[in-house]
């Protein structure tokens, strides 16, 4: 058996030279080294051309040569035309090891699987560990050589380790070996460059990349090593920023694919690749349609076995995806065949994706097909669905490419109006509506107009008049699921905004069910948000948290889409623990609120959220006047930016107290006037007036304002507003010297607040309520919930400082006897200024502002 090779072939039995500026890849090198210590003796690298297999193994071989004297590396690059393992025997003979050479000398006879096994067994005689790297195994052309390789690999002893590398191991039978055990397998995903490796790659070449540029590089190359090098070559001719979006049809990329990929493919596979480059990803069914009906599964399987730059995505349905640069290269080849061929394939892709209800992708292919009929049909079928799903920009872009005659059709004009409204531009939508003829409208057109009228009113105001005009039409449906969903959703929003919670929930439930059936996540989330908000307005705090948790699960199932209305429900889930004075993550809420504010798509909601943020930050504001102005600007109702009346009822009591704490009574009174203009004769308005009078020490006016609420003449929108009413009543009872009645009012407030733990209102009610709670004078103020209120108020520091000191009690007793400040000072041997300080503290703690009220308050609170 002669082991001499021609000089031209001998070079492939040498380890390649290290490449200058090559990036070390320690995460992979360490895995290769660790694999040598596994009980199995085989490592496999299988990845497409240009994935960096050879360079990685070259780095590893040189590290072993430099650092490990007890290990010898043998390298062999297979070539087309090889028929046996003679080149491998030649490479092994180059190892300086007498035992190995003696073993190799005993080999004789013609090459066969037995000879291959004998070659492997000869490695046992080596005094060192032998690492055998066999590169380019994909070039194996004969079954005979493949069987020899398999026999060699399976017979390798424990003092050796074999690494086979190539674009695939399709001819080398490894199934049984995989069952027995393989130390390590690396594929294209493993070899793909990480962000840190991309940074190191370009830094070694004198180019510093930002994080955004690294992201762009990875998006274009998917970490493909050759993609990075092609990008580097392109950068030699231009600035890096210019060539960053490297295209698959650039000269350098084209040359590479022609030489390295297409050279190995037959005409049938080449044609399949080109025809299926139209979509970003494809199923076997779509591939068959694009390829003229030919079966696609076998072609895809061949491409996978050949390790062409193709990857599998998902399970149902299974989709396949070409590397971005390869797809662009293929698409450029397709365009060489002329626009007719390209547009026909784009139209076929659009039709298939429309059938699969992948509306956005269908629309993008229809646009590229330039087929007006296809674009028009897809817009009619799924335009509303795309709008409901938040893809308004894509819809408007597609409509812009339609002929003027098609754009002028009423249905298309209404779709434009809906998209503009959803995008936040109510003026354009209103102008379009006014220009459309009303006479001889079809049922579909009337339904469109109804939805747009409601949508416009939600955006710009006029809700009550619009609902009065359309009330008898709200339950009409056309059978067009997308359109009916849109109309029901806008009607639900309108009913919610004017305070009809039952109608809002019913319409939202209808819209949610139809949205699920039509697969419109944005519409489904908006409908769920309406129902969640209605629960909040009904005071059902626990249900808000429960339905919010279920909505979180559904949001995750839908792929976590960016959605303004879903973010609103997250705000409510902060507001509930805020009202209950439980720990809550305010930063998370502010982040969610900021996302909505920055989106600009819901300006009225954004304004309301700014008001909530201002309200939560009012007590820590440095500039109290600016804080009050921000409250007024964002919480005061505006006709052109409507929000739910229940929301104003919920915020207004907190706002009035905040104005008082900020010392801005003028803004407070203007705010109450605007709330009254919106809500009318509601209990919340009367409570606001009573709060203002109570703060201003106008107790008789406060009692008169509160009377219609307590006797039921002015019903409240929110259950919690009655808690506020009875707390104000308790404060007034104290001021009027009625201790028993004060405790009864407190007990009623506690009973109303207990079911949903509305504790925040007790904290905001002031020192009189805190003192009544601390007194525990009635069974109602000694119950479990009252204890919870005291605990949370104490944890917040509200009860701690409200106890009168011993000296303050002495001063209070003297005040009750009508002693003057000078007399008290002389009696207690303190200065008149010190007495004044004690009196101010007493007034603050008892919630009074003059001597006439202090005796009655002390008596009512039982602290004379």
């Amino acid at each position: 058996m002669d082991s001499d090779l021609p000089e031209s072939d001998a070079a492939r039995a040498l380890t390649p030279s290290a490449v200058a500026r090559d990036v070390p890849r320690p995460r992979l090198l360490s895995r290769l080294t660790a694999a040598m210590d596994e009980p199995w003796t085989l490592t496999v690298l299988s990845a497409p051309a240009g994935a960096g297999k050879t360079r990685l193994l070259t780095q590893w071989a040189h590290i072993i040569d430099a650092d490990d004297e007890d290990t010898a590396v043998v390298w062999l690059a297979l070539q087309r035309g090889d028929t046996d393992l003679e080149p491998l025997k030649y490479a092994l003979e180059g190892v300086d090891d007498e035992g190995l050479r003696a073993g190799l000398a005993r080999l004789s006879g013609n090459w066969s699987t037995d000879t291959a096994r004998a070659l492997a067994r000869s490695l046992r005689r080596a005094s060192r560990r032998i690492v055998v790297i066999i590169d380019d195994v994909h070039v194996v052309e004969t079954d005979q050589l493949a069987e020899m390789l398999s026999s060699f690999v399976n017979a390798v002893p424990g003092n050796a380790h074999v690494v086979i590398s190539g674009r695939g191991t399709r001819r080398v039978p490894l199934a049984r070996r995989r069952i027995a055990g393989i130390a390590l397998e690396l594929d294209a995903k493993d070899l793909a460059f990480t962000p840190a490796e991309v940074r190191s790659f370009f830094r070694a070449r004198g180019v510093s990349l930002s994080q955004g540029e690294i992201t762009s590089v990875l998006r274009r190359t998917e970490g493909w090593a050759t993609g990075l090098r092609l990008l580097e070559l392109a950068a030699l001719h231009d600035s890096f920023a210019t060539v960053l979006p490297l295209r698959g049809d650039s000269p350098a990329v084209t040359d590479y694919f022609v030489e390295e990929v297409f050279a190995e493919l037959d005409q049938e596979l080449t044609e399949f690749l080109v025809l299926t480059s139209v979509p970003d990803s494809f199923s076997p069914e779509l591939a068959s349609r694009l390829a003229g009906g030919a079966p696609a599964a076998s072609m895809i399987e061949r491409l996978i076995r050949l390790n062409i730059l193709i990857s599998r995505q998902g399970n149902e349905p299974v989709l396949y995806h070409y590397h971005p640069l390869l797809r662009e290269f293929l698409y450029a080849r397709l365009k060489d065949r002329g626009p007719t061929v390209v547009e026909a394939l784009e139209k076929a892709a659009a039709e298939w994706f429309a059938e699969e209800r992948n509306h956005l992708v269908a629309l993008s292919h229809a646009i590229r097909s330039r087929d007006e009929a296809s674009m028009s049909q897809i817009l009619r079928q799924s335009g509303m669905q795309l709008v409901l799903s938040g893809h308004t920009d894509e819809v408007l872009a597609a409509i812009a490419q339609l002929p003027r005659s098609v754009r002028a059709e009423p249905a298309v004009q209404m779709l434009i109006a809906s998209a503009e409204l959803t995008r936040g531009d109510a003026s354009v939508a209103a102008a379009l509506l006014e220009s459309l003829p009303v006479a001889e409208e079809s049922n579909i057109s009337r339904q469109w107009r109804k939805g747009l009228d409601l949508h416009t009113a939600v955006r710009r105001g006029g809700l009550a008049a619009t609902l009065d005009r359309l009330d008898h039409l709200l339950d009409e449906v056309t059978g067009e699921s997308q359109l009916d969903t849109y109309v029901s959703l806008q009607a639900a929003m309108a009913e919610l905004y004017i305070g009809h919670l039952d109608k809002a929930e019913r319409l939202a439930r209808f819209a949610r069910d139809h949205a699920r059936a039509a697969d419109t996540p944005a519409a489904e989330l908006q409908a769920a948000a309406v129902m969640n908000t209605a629960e909040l307005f009904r005071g059902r705090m626990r249900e808000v948290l429960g339905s919010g948790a279920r909505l979180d699960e559904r949001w995750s199932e839908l792929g976590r889409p960016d959605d303004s209305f879903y973010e609103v429900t997250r705000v409510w889930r902060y507001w509930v623990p805020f009202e209950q004075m439980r720990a809550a993550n305010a930063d998370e809420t502010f982040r969610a609120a900021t996302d909505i504010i920055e989106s600009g798509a819901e300006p009225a909601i954004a304004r309301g959220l700014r008001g909530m943020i201002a309200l939560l930050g009012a007590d820590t504001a440095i500039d109290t006047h600016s804080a009050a102005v921000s409250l007024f600007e964002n919480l005061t109702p505006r006709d052109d930016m409507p929000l739910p009346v229940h929301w104003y009822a919920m915020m207004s009591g907190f706002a009035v107290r905040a104005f008082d704490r900020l010392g801005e009574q003028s803004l407070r009174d203007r705010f109450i006037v605007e709330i009254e203009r919106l809500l009318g004769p509601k209990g919340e308005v009367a409570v606001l007036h009573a709060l203002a009078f109570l703060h201003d020490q106008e107790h008789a006016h406060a009692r008169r304002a509160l009377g219609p609420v307590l006797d039921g003449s002015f019903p409240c929108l929110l259950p919690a507003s009655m808690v506020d009413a009875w707390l104000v009543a308790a404060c007034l009872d104290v001021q009027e010297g009625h201790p028993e009645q004060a405790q009864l009012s407190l007990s009623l407030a506690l009973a109303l607040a207990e079911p949903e733990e509305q504790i925040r209102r007790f904290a905001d009610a002031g020192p009189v309520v805190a003192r009544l709670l601390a007194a525990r004078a009635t069974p109602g103020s000694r119950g479990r919930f009252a204890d919870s209120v005291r605990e949370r108020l104490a944890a917040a520091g509200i009860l701690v400082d409200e106890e009168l000191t011993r000296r303050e009690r002495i001063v209070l007793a003297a005040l009750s006897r009508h002693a003057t400040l000078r007399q008290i000072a002389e009696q207690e041997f303190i200065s008149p200024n010190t007495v004044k300080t004690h009196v101010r503290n007493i007034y603050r703690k008892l919630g009074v502002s003059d001597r006439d009220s202090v005796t009655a308050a002390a008596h009512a609170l039982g602290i004379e």
Side-chain angles (χ1 to χ4, degrees):
M1 183 180 291
D2 187 3
S3 59
D4 291 334
L5 290 178
E7 280 190 30
S8 59
D9 288 343
R12 62 190 175 107
L14 299 174
T15 302
S17 300
V19 179
R21 299 187 303 174
D22 222 359
V23 177
R25 308 188 71 185
R27 67 180 179 90
L28 297 174
L29 295 169
S30 62
R31 293 179 67 185
L32 289 168
T33 300
M36 291 195 299
D37 296 325
E38 293 289 334
W40 304 286
T41 57
L42 176 63
T43 290
V44 177
L45 275 70
S46 179
K53 304 178 293 296
T54 300
R55 289 203 177 188
L56 175 67
L57 293 174
T58 298
Q59 286 184 16
W60 185 52
H62 284 288
I63 290 172
I64 293 174
D65 283 341
D67 298 343
D68 190 349
E69 295 180 355
D70 296 328
T71 302
V73 177
V74 176
W75 186 288
L76 177 67
L78 295 178
Q79 292 182 347
R80 295 192 184 280
D82 284 340
T83 58
D84 54 38
L85 296 185
E86 189 66 30
L88 179 56
K89 179 173 178 287
Y90 174 83
L92 288 167
E93 288 172 343
V95 177
D96 185 13
D97 188 292
E98 292 183 3
L100 176 58
R101 286 177 178 170
L104 293 173
R106 297 176 62 183
L107 292 177
S108 61
N110 296 324
W111 280 101
S112 65
T113 54
D114 289 338
T115 314
R117 282 190 284 270
L119 178 64
R121 286 193 292 270
S122 68
L123 299 176
R124 292 177 183 169
R125 307 191 61 170
S127 60
R128 295 190 289 170
R129 178 163 56 182
I130 306 298
V131 174
V132 180
I133 299 174
I134 305 175
D135 199 13
D136 293 336
V137 296
H138 60 277
V139 303
V140 172
E141 295 176 323
T142 66
D143 292 339
Q144 182 183 7
L145 178 57
E147 290 292 341
M148 289 181 195
L149 272 174
S150 179
S151 298
F152 172 80
V153 166
N154 289 328
V156 167
N159 68 321
H161 195 86
V162 177
V163 180
I164 62 174
S165 173
R167 300 177 193 176
T169 58
R170 57 193 180 280
R171 278 194 173 273
V172 181
L174 294 177
R176 282 184 296 176
R177 184 53 195 256
R178 284 192 170 90
I179 295 173
I182 291 178
L184 176 66
E185 284 194 74
L186 297 178
D187 59 17
K189 290 182 180 178
D190 297 308
L191 294 170
F193 275 60
T194 65
E197 289 170 340
V198 170
R199 186 185 299 278
S200 298
F201 178 91
F202 284 102
R203 184 176 290 159
R205 288 149 179 80
V207 178
S208 179
L209 298 187
S210 67
Q211 190 59 47
E213 288 173 326
I214 290 173
T215 301
S216 297
V217 167
L218 287 171
R219 188 180 298 118
R220 297 298 302 132
T221 65
E222 295 185 351
W224 183 44
T226 294
L228 300 180
R229 296 184 185 101
L230 291 171
L231 191 59
E232 177 195 5
L233 290 173
L236 294 175
H237 305 288
D238 211 332
S239 69
F240 189 83
T242 303
V243 303
L244 190 55
L246 179 66
R247 303 241 357 128
D249 53 3
S250 63
V253 178
T254 298
D255 291 345
Y256 177 82
F257 282 132
V258 169
E259 294 175 9
E260 295 292 333
V261 178
F262 269 54
E264 298 190 6
L265 304 182
D266 57 31
Q267 180 59 36
E268 185 181 29
L269 273 181
T270 300
E271 182 71 4
F272 181 84
L273 278 168
V274 171
L275 294 177
T276 54
S277 66
V278 171
D280 285 331
S281 57
F282 57 86
S283 68
E285 181 186 348
L286 174 57
S288 178
R289 189 176 299 191
L290 294 171
S298 60
M299 305 293 285
I300 293 171
E301 185 60 30
R302 286 179 63 191
L303 290 173
I304 291 174
R305 287 203 311 270
L306 288 168
N307 234 322
I308 301 301
L309 291 162
I310 183 173
S311 57
R312 173 174 167 155
Q313 300 172 323
N315 292 314
E316 293 183 4
V318 175
L319 297 176
Y320 296 91
H321 158 81
Y322 295 134
H323 190 282
L325 294 176
L326 175 60
R327 178 173 172 262
E328 288 167 0
F329 163 75
L330 296 170
Y331 197 72
R333 283 204 151 195
L334 180 65
K335 288 194 291 186
D336 290 341
R337 302 183 184 186
T340 303
V341 174
V342 175
E343 290 166 10
L345 290 169
E346 291 284 5
K347 181 180 178 182
E351 292 170 351
W352 188 85
F353 281 109
E355 292 167 9
E356 295 296 309
R357 299 172 71 176
N358 194 334
H359 307 291
L360 184 61
V361 177
L363 183 60
S364 67
H365 284 291
I367 292 172
R368 289 203 294 267
S369 76
R370 300 184 182 181
D371 186 273
E372 296 171 358
S374 179
M375 281 190 282
S376 180
Q377 180 181 3
I378 289 174
L379 281 170
R380 287 187 173 93
Q381 288 178 345
S382 55
M384 190 67 248
Q385 189 153 350
L386 289 168
V387 168
L388 290 171
S389 299
H391 298 294
T392 55
D393 291 341
E394 292 88 342
V395 169
L396 292 171
I399 291 173
Q401 298 190 45
L402 293 174
R404 183 174 299 176
S405 59
V406 177
R407 291 202 305 270
E409 292 178 4
V412 177
Q413 288 288 292
M414 290 180 181
L415 182 60
I416 295 172
S418 173
E420 294 289 2
L421 276 168
T422 303
R423 200 162 64 167
D425 195 340
S427 58
V428 172
L432 285 170
L433 273 176
E434 291 174 4
S435 68
L436 293 174
V438 178
E440 300 181 2
E441 283 188 337
S442 66
N443 289 338
I444 300 293
S445 297
R446 282 195 294 273
Q447 188 79 333
W448 263 112
R449 185 178 289 277
K450 188 198 317 177
L452 290 169
D453 282 345
L454 290 165
H455 200 166
T456 303
V458 169
R459 290 283 187 177
R460 303 183 71 186
L463 283 164
T466 302
L467 284 171
D468 286 344
R469 177 165 51 84
L470 299 175
D471 184 62
H472 64 290
L473 302 173
L474 292 182
D475 291 324
E476 288 184 355
V477 294
T478 64
E480 294 282 342
S481 182
Q482 299 170 40
L483 182 56
D484 292 339
T485 299
Y486 172 65
V487 174
S488 298
L489 197 52
Q490 302 312 316
M493 291 283 290
E495 296 286 9
L496 178 74
Y497 275 37
I498 68 168
H500 296 166
L501 301 185
D502 289 338
K503 288 184 176 180
E505 285 183 311
R506 178 175 59 80
L507 289 163
R509 195 171 293 110
F510 176 90
R512 181 200 61 190
D513 294 343
H514 277 66
R516 283 187 177 178
D519 192 25
T520 52
E524 181 184 340
L525 290 173
Q526 186 175 350
V530 170
M531 292 187 286
N532 185 257
T533 303
E535 288 172 346
L536 178 74
F537 292 161
R538 293 183 189 279
R540 299 170 182 167
M541 302 292 190
R542 291 181 177 84
E543 291 183 22
V544 170
L545 297 178
S547 64
R550 292 189 295 274
L551 185 56
D552 274 344
E553 293 177 3
R554 182 59 179 158
W555 176 67
S556 296
E557 291 172 3
L558 295 172
R560 300 172 176 262
D562 292 333
D563 185 88
S564 297
F565 295 99
Y566 166 75
E567 294 293 343
V568 169
T569 68
R570 296 180 67 186
V571 172
W572 297 156
R573 275 168 276 160
Y574 168 72
W575 187 259
V576 169
F578 171 79
E579 284 244 32
Q580 296 174 340
M581 293 191 72
R582 293 182 182 275
N585 189 346
D587 291 339
E588 179 71 12
T589 300
F590 291 162
R591 186 202 64 76
T594 302
D595 287 346
I596 299 171
I597 290 169
E598 291 178 350
S599 74
E602 299 294 336
I605 294 176
R607 176 175 176 264
L609 288 171
R610 281 193 295 269
M612 293 179 74
I613 292 172
L615 182 62
L616 296 174
D619 289 338
T620 58
I622 297 174
D623 186 339
T624 56
H625 179 68
S626 295
V629 170
S630 180
L631 282 175
F632 185 83
E633 289 179 346
N634 291 295
L635 293 179
T636 302
R638 277 180 53 176
D639 293 338
D640 61 336
M641 298 184 78
L643 284 172
V645 292
H646 284 78
W647 182 82
Y648 283 111
M650 185 171 73
M651 292 293 112
S652 57
F654 292 105
V656 164
R657 291 189 179 99
F659 281 125
D660 282 336
R661 291 195 297 272
L662 294 169
E664 294 285 347
Q665 281 70 46
S666 176
L667 283 176
R668 176 202 69 190
D669 293 341
R670 288 171 57 193
F671 174 77
I672 293 174
V673 168
E674 293 301 318
I675 294 293
E676 186 170 14
R677 184 178 64 83
L678 174 71
L679 301 184
K682 296 294 183 184
E684 280 79 9
V685 174
V687 171
L688 297 184
H689 284 299
L691 283 170
F693 287 134
L694 178 64
H695 176 272
D696 297 345
Q697 296 295 315
E698 298 181 30
H699 300 142
H701 289 302
R703 179 65 74 180
R704 280 195 297 272
L706 197 60
V709 183
L710 300 182
D711 66 20
S713 301
F714 284 3
C716 290
L717 290 169
L718 303 173
S721 297
M722 288 304 298
V723 177
D724 287 336
W726 284 110
L727 290 175
V728 173
C731 293
L732 291 173
D733 294 336
V734 167
Q735 302 295 344
E736 295 163 0
H738 302 302
E740 295 82 4
Q741 184 58 45
Q743 288 291 343
L744 178 59
S745 296
L746 175 66
S747 296
L748 288 170
L750 287 166
L752 290 169
E754 181 174 4
E756 301 296 340
E757 297 185 57
Q758 290 160 323
I759 295 175
R760 174 72 55 182
R761 296 167 190 274
F762 292 85
D764 283 1
V768 171
V769 168
R771 177 66 60 185
L772 287 169
L773 279 165
R776 304 170 185 257
T778 64
S781 64
R782 292 195 293 267
R784 182 179 301 174
F785 177 65
D787 288 342
S788 296
V789 174
R790 279 187 286 270
E791 287 172 5
R792 292 183 203 169
L793 265 60
I798 293 171
L799 290 183
V800 174
D801 295 329
E802 300 307 319
E803 294 292 337
L804 294 183
T805 64
R806 184 183 66 81
R807 180 60 61 83
E808 287 168 353
R809 286 178 176 273
I810 293 171
V811 172
L812 175 60
L815 291 173
S816 299
R817 297 192 301 268
H818 305 291
T820 66
L821 298 184
R822 183 173 293 280
Q823 289 171 334
I824 296 171
E826 291 173 353
Q827 173 189 323
E828 296 300 316
F829 302 102
I830 55 179
S831 72
N833 284 337
T834 302
V835 174
K836 290 179 182 179
T837 299
H838 289 316
V839 171
R840 282 196 298 270
N841 288 338
I842 292 168
Y843 284 0
R844 177 181 60 80
K845 292 180 180 182
L846 297 185
V848 297
S849 61
D850 55 48
R851 180 179 285 216
D852 293 337
S853 303
V854 73
T855 302
H859 172 67
L861 293 170
I863 54 173
E864 299 170 289

